[in-house]
């Protein structure tokens, strides 16, 4: 079984357990005061193991299923079979840091879900295959077009706020996925622009 499937399985199991276990949610959720005062730094990563509801979990895990396996193979070439785990977990943590800095003393703020890491995986994939077709609610869209629209929407909603979605984590995760991949293999930048200049839909 691939590492990506193991991550999906663990996330699904813990999320399903947490749906009916408020104590487990309280222990794993991203809650800034627990980090600021209690130094419970694991919450930066464990919040990615729980989700608000079944649809939240389903959307994240389907995205991870379709793109995570490909990125797992890519990272394995450079940092070994567990390189993808390093990437995924670090993406969870890094994607939450801007949110933490913004809300570190806010006792009312909570966040959960793997969206930051999933965004990192998705945007790392887009960097490698900008014209690959992805499906958004069964609508085919070239991945680079989706990336532009997604980033514009995320930046706008992050500034606007008010919808209880951590858009900051989505944006931070997307940027991290791109930068991590470039740091690992700088040649992807040249390949990206070469691909971009030669549109092909597949």
């Amino acid at each position: 079984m691939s590492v990506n499937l193991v991550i999906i399985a663990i996330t699904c199991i813990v999320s399903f357990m947490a749906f009916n276990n408020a104590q487990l949610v309280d222990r794993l959720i991203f809650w800034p005061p627990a980090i600021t005062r209690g130094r419970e730094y694991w919450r930066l990563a464990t919040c990615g193991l729980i989700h608000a509801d079944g649809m939240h979990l389903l959307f994240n895990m389907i995205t991870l299923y379709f793109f995570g396996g490909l990125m797992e193979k890519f990272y394995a070439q450079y940092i070994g079979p567990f390189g993808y785990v390093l990437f995924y977990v670090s993406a969870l943590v890094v994607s939450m840091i801007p949110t933490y800095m913004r809300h570190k003393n806010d006792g009312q703020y909570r966040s959960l879900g793997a969206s930051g890491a999933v965004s990192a995986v998705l945007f790392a994939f887009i960097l490698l295959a900008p014209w690959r077709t992805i499906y958004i609610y069964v609508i085919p869209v070239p991945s680079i077009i989706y990336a532009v629209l997604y980033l514009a929407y995320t930046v706008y909603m992050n500034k606007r706020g008010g919808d209880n979605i951590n858009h900051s984590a989505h944006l931070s995760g997307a940027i991290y996925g791109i930068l991590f991949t470039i740091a690992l293999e700088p040649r992807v930048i040249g390949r990206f622009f070469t691909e971009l200049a030669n549109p092909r839909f597949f």
Side-chain angles (χ1 to χ4, degrees):
M1 181 181 290
S2 74
V3 172
N4 189 56
L5 291 178
V6 171
I7 291 174
I8 291 172
I10 292 172
T11 304
C12 286
I13 290 169
V14 176
S15 289
F16 278 116
M17 290 172 59
F19 286 153
N20 298 304
N21 189 333
Q23 188 174 11
L24 180 59
V25 172
D26 288 342
R27 189 63 176 163
L28 301 180
I29 200 168
F30 175 80
W31 184 50
I35 299 171
T36 303
R37 302 168 195 164
R39 300 188 178 184
E40 297 178 4
Y41 299 112
W42 66 80
R43 292 177 181 268
L44 291 166
T46 58
C47 62
L49 294 172
I50 53 178
H51 288 77
D53 52 42
M55 287 303 298
H56 186 203
L57 175 64
L58 181 64
F59 183 81
N60 275 340
M61 293 305 100
I62 285 179
T63 304
L64 199 58
Y65 175 79
F66 282 112
F67 302 104
L70 297 170
M71 296 314 303
E72 178 185 343
K73 293 176 182 176
F74 176 82
Y75 295 129
Q77 301 175 63
Y78 299 93
I79 46 180
F82 294 103
Y84 180 70
V85 176
L86 171 64
F87 169 68
Y88 186 84
V89 175
S90 63
L92 279 172
V93 173
V94 171
S95 69
M96 294 304 298
I97 290 176
T99 302
Y100 171 68
M101 297 305 295
R102 188 175 181 179
H103 296 279
K104 60 182 178 180
N105 296 311
D106 185 355
Q108 300 301 312
Y109 187 87
R110 286 171 170 77
S111 182
L112 75 172
S115 299
V118 172
S119 289
V121 171
L122 178 58
F123 275 76
F125 171 84
I126 292 170
L127 180 65
L128 299 182
W131 292 110
R132 183 73 61 89
T133 299
I134 60 178
Y135 291 86
I136 311 301
Y137 299 111
V138 308
I139 301 172
V141 180
S143 60
I144 188 62
I145 301 300
Y146 171 77
V148 171
L149 295 175
Y150 179 87
L151 287 177
Y153 171 77
T154 301
V155 169
Y156 170 75
M157 291 304 296
N158 187 47
K159 290 181 178 179
R160 178 184 173 185
D163 61 356
N164 295 319
I165 296 175
N166 190 353
H167 295 285
S168 173
H170 296 181
L171 180 60
S172 300
I175 294 170
Y176 179 74
I178 293 170
L179 295 180
F180 184 98
T181 307
I182 291 174
L184 204 59
E185 176 50 275
R187 289 175 295 182
V188 300
I189 301 175
R191 290 204 296 263
F192 172 76
F193 285 111
T194 298
E195 289 277 345
L196 213 57
N198 296 279
R200 50 198 177 98
F201 304 98
F202 56 96

